[in-house]
Amino acid sequence: MYWQLAVERITSRWTGQNLVSRVIPVDPFDIVIFGATGDLARRKILPALFHRFVVGQIPDEARIIGTARRDINPCAFVAMVRNDLHAFASTAASKTEALTRFLERLQFVRLDATGDMGWSDLTGFLRPELKRAFCFSVSPTLFGPIAAKLYTTGVAHSESRIVVEKPFGHNLYAAQQLNASLLRNFSERQIYRIDHYLGKESVQNLMALRFANALWEPLWNARHIDHVQITVAESIGVSGRGEYYDSSGAMRDMIQNHLMQLLCLTAMEPPTRFEPNAVRDEKVKVIKALQPVRSMDVVRGQYSARDGKDGYRDHAGNADSLTECFVALKVNVGNWRWASAPFYLRTGKKLRARSSEIAIMFRDPPHMIFQDSEWPRGNALIIRLNPNEGITLHNTIKDPGPGGFRLTDVSLDMAFASALGDLEKPQDAYERLIMDVVRGDQTLFMRGDEVEAAWSWIDPIIATWEDARDVPLPYEPGGSGPEMADVLLRRDGREWRAIG
Ligand code: BG6
């Protein structure tokens, strides 16, 4: 079944009686993590599985099999996971009994992803009657070889699922090769391409907001919306992962996937059903409707050094780097809904704050009757991804008092944490996504053609920079990016919302 809710919320709409929450356990499964001693597995995948185990969603019969080439014995692996859970899973310290039971579910197999070592041991751990999921928590260069091995060794069966992470290719050609290498041995319905933004509660809420309320749809078009701003600002730099980042840059690392997904969910037509292909078909249509971006509509930046240190180039270990860690761009979606209402996307490292949001900026009232007042700011609907996930609606009201008739901007504010209470605390995106893999629901995963369509649109933008050896503009750490990013909007008579 595509959409089996993990958490059922039953609310009484009329009495305001609040929530009863019920976790529906998934069926027993075997999950294999390739690269189990790596960062992603240790910081994200294993803590996510632990949290789902603590709330009772993962049954005791489930097994988690870590594999890696590293020579550690199973006991050392379990000890490592125990330490990691204390470090990365907030509940580990208080749930000691659950922690012990969770660790009993773990196995470790030393395995060479491209050679023969370990594959028959792995087969021995898997139970024929259960669903199998394989997480490729490894370098993308190993995706194809592992998929082939899974097939030739018979470790994967026709109901097995494989889970791959970004980066999914470096350009269109590489993404096509990667897709082809997976599709050689698995069908599309078995491939789960993760973009962790789709697992964020607030991103899924964007779909609920749009398609579970009748209020917004009549307004959700260029007739009422002036433009949309999508910002994903980070306060951290790239130190610690400079080498990877320098070969990627913000366009590949963030725009091609995370911001593109946010754009798609904001711009897409209502799907006929909340089902994997119905949703993904609509997202692909949006990507295909994106107009080519003119070079004057893109701004690239690199954070500078302070007191001669900690600049992007220091962190990247490349004194001549031309890689951008900030991008702002104006995107036109060429269809009836969005013609004349552009999307402005912006993302960068070392900015003023960690702050991500989608801002729907509505048009001004068509005629102003309050002659003596300043023209009110247009309404804006802000969907906050972080911090403080929630929704804010900016309205214009009368400034109180008898002296004249002035207008002021106030907001209706809903922070999900306080509106929904502890019960619905945002989970890490991976919790949702991994449970969806087990349930066999691909709605929140990228389809192959979707990834390729995104690269088809991105590639020419990057090619223009590379051909011209375009030099990113320097910007001060702790600010809002290069001044030219402000000009990009000012030129159109608009301005960015402040970061943070
Ligand atoms: C990752 C990028 O995919 O997303 C990182 O590689 C970025 O560069 C991260 O920092 C941001 O994710 P989040 O969930 O912290 O907004």
Side-chain angles (χ1 to χ4, degrees), residues 166 196-197 200 234 241 245 253-254 258 349 354:
K166 74 175 264 272
H196 78 276
Y197 267 54
K200 289 181 187 268
E234 295 182 274
R241 60 199 286 260
Y245 194 89
D253 186 52
M254 297 294 289
H258 306 325
K349 305 280 186 198
R354 178 166 192 250

Side-chain angles (χ1 to χ4, degrees), residues 475-495:
Y475 63 91
E476 283 294 312
S480 52
E483 163 75 16
M484 282 306 284
D486 296 332
V487 174
L488 182 71
L489 267 74
R490 231 180 278 143
R491 208 178 64 186
D492 295 344
R494 300 173 173 130
E495 60 179 330

Side-chain angles (χ1 to χ4, degrees), residues 107-124:
Q107 315 276 0
F108 180 77
V109 176
R110 191 169 171 230
L111 177 142
D112 181 358
T114 51
D116 291 331
M117 181 183 69
W119 286 92
S120 58
D121 297 341
L122 177 58
T123 313

Side-chain angles (χ1 to χ4, degrees), residues 224-261:
H224 300 285
I225 294 173
D226 177 69
H227 70 282
V228 177
Q229 298 182 13
I230 301 181
T231 298
V232 178
E234 295 182 274
S235 51
I236 52 164
V238 303
S239 68
R241 60 199 286 260
E243 199 183 325
Y244 151 75
Y245 194 89
D246 205 46
S247 65
S248 170
M251 198 70 175
R252 291 188 172 100
D253 186 52
M254 297 294 289
I255 302 277
Q256 190 271 346
N257 35 74
H258 306 325
L259 278 89
M260 196 80 128
Q261 289 296 327

